[in-house]
Amino acid sequence: MTTERRAGSRAWFERAQAVIAGGVSSPARSFKAVGGDPPVVMARARGAYLEDVDGNRYIDYLAAFAPLVLGHGHPRVLEAVHRQLDAGTLYGTPAPAEIELAEELVRVIPGLDQLRFVTTGTEAVMSALRLARAATGRRRLIKFAGTYHGHSDAMLVEAGSGAATAGPAIGGGIPPAVQADVITLPFNDPEALRAVMAREGREVAAIITEPVVGNMGIVPPQPGYLETMRSLADQYGALLIFDEVITAFRFRYGVVAESLGVVPDLYCLGKTIGGGLAAGAYGGRRDLMRLLSPQGPVFQAGTLAGNPLSSAAGLATLAVLRDENPYPRMEALAAELETGLRALAERVRVPLTINRVGSAFTVYFGRTAPVTNFREAAAADADRFARFHRAMLDEGVYLAPSRFEAWFVSAQHQPEDIRRTLAAAERALAALP
Ligand SMILES: *Cc1c(COP(=O)(O)O)cnc(C)c1O
């Protein structure tokens, strides 16, 4: 049935494989981790739905890997983008949209005195790390196994997300000298961090983490863990960087750092702040941001950085999120899904653990113990996930094609979508054990 129903996808993907490396512009989009079919080729999207080139519709829990908190094609975002299109897409000069977006971000994010726009989350992280190294005069970086901070050399050491499913060859092209400067620790292990800082803290430029990890599935920090990071960074003169590329504006209007009560020295932003277009930003303490060219010696630039089109989309997205506060509703729907999936799995005796924070959650098959770090996340059953993924796809539910990603509920999902998803999951789970 799948071959018939997705013949168009198959044909397009064959063309893609001839001219695009691996047929995809980002490895996480491939179906390598879930086996079987070629990836689905989408033709359009609206609200909470994706539609493929064969006309099949899917309830979308991918949200394009997180940015689409508002779902697809929100009328106010479309209107803002159309208005900016008419006024020009790129000037190569400062423009009101980027200035207004920066003002709003600085207004709502604690400790964000100033920022600099870039085009992707990868660049935001790369640039924040350069700034941290310049500010401290140190080289070494501490990160955590299973987090993902984009694909810059240093950040691919033991990374999560697409890099975690890509296999052992992931270090290709990364010089050993770069790897040697990166210390990777297990997340949620304050003793490991304390020990490393006691040994090497005076050489560490920055500790970087996702405050709530989204790239080994959803893994929240244990109580006190981020506070420990904050105080160890201060004690040894290292900077604390929160990569909120996924988390900012996903769980609340603003950053999750505020909910968790810890303020970093620098933030990395992306995804949602571009409202579905390309945007990233990094920023924080004014004394650090002053080191950037043209004021200081740290160079970083971008032809498309802060472009008016992305800024307009981001600004409109933020305006809707602020005006409508969809967060409690999104969280309630995600909680309903979580509870429903748990009950269905119990009935057919499929063991699983679900980690949920707000409107995002991850299902770890084959685990009954909590998942608090990458080792535990990686122990989840890849084969069961792959079969569940395929069954859900055939049921018209689009999940991220990796067990290290999350289900994202958007502001446009309706209770009826949740009911249909649970009905689909009931059939998919029954076929699993
Ligand atoms: C997606 C992601 C990035 C990279 O952003 P890109 O825009 O894909 O370069 C960085 N950090 C985190 C936490 C992410 O989830």
Side-chain angles (χ1 to χ4, degrees), residues 267-294:
Y267 289 97
C268 302
L269 304 171
K271 296 195 169 126
T272 304
I273 67 160
L277 276 70
Y282 66 104
R285 279 165 42 193
R286 192 178 302 274
D287 61 308
L288 298 173
M289 298 308 284
R290 225 178 255 135
L291 296 173
L292 287 177
S293 176

Side-chain angles (χ1 to χ4, degrees), residues 46-82:
R46 225 356 118 81
Y49 288 83
L50 292 163
E51 187 180 316
D52 70 17
V53 291
D54 293 290
N56 302 304
R57 274 161 53 93
Y58 305 85
I59 304 174
D60 180 17
Y61 292 103
L62 180 69
F65 291 93
L68 302 177
V69 176
L70 280 184
H72 302 274
H74 191 285
R76 280 176 66 187
V77 178
L78 290 185
E79 191 202 283
V81 169
H82 285 150

Side-chain angles (χ1 to χ4, degrees), residues 120-123 125 148-151 210 215 243 245-246 271:
T120 63
T122 294
E123 281 179 277
V125 171
Y148 179 69
H149 301 293
H151 65 89
E210 302 173 67
N215 285 295
D243 179 350
V245 167
I246 287 184
K271 296 195 169 126

Side-chain angles (χ1 to χ4, degrees), residues 143-147 185-190 192 209-223 225-226 229 352-357 362-364 367-380 403-404:
K143 65 185 280 293
F144 300 92
T147 57
L185 297 176
F187 191 68
N188 273 328
D189 185 345
T209 193
E210 302 173 67
V212 169
V213 184
N215 285 295
M216 48 183 159
I218 298 291
V219 175
Q222 286 172 352
Y225 185 52
L226 298 179
M229 275 188 206
L352 49 75
T353 288
I354 299 179
N355 277 10
R356 182 179 64 79
V357 175
T362 300
V363 180
Y364 300 95
R367 265 199 82 84
T368 46
V371 174
T372 65
N373 61 31
F374 184 61
R375 191 177 48 77
E376 292 162 359
R403 70 191 201 281
F404 297 120

Side-chain angles (χ1 to χ4, degrees), residues 74-101:
H74 191 285
R76 280 176 66 187
V77 178
L78 290 185
E79 191 202 283
V81 169
H82 285 150
R83 211 179 320 116
Q84 186 60 54
L85 265 179
D86 289 336
T89 59
L90 194 59
Y91 309 137
T93 71
E98 65 175 336
I99 298 167
E100 285 176 359
L101 180 56

Side-chain angles (χ1 to χ4, degrees), residues 336-368:
E336 199 179 320
L337 268 179
E338 179 201 351
T339 313
L341 287 168
R342 244 190 246 289
L344 292 171
E346 227 158 84
R347 210 182 308 153
V348 293
R349 294 182 200 292
V350 172
L352 49 75
T353 288
I354 299 179
N355 277 10
R356 182 179 64 79
V357 175
S359 61
F361 63 91
T362 300
V363 180
Y364 300 95
F365 284 102
R367 265 199 82 84
T368 46

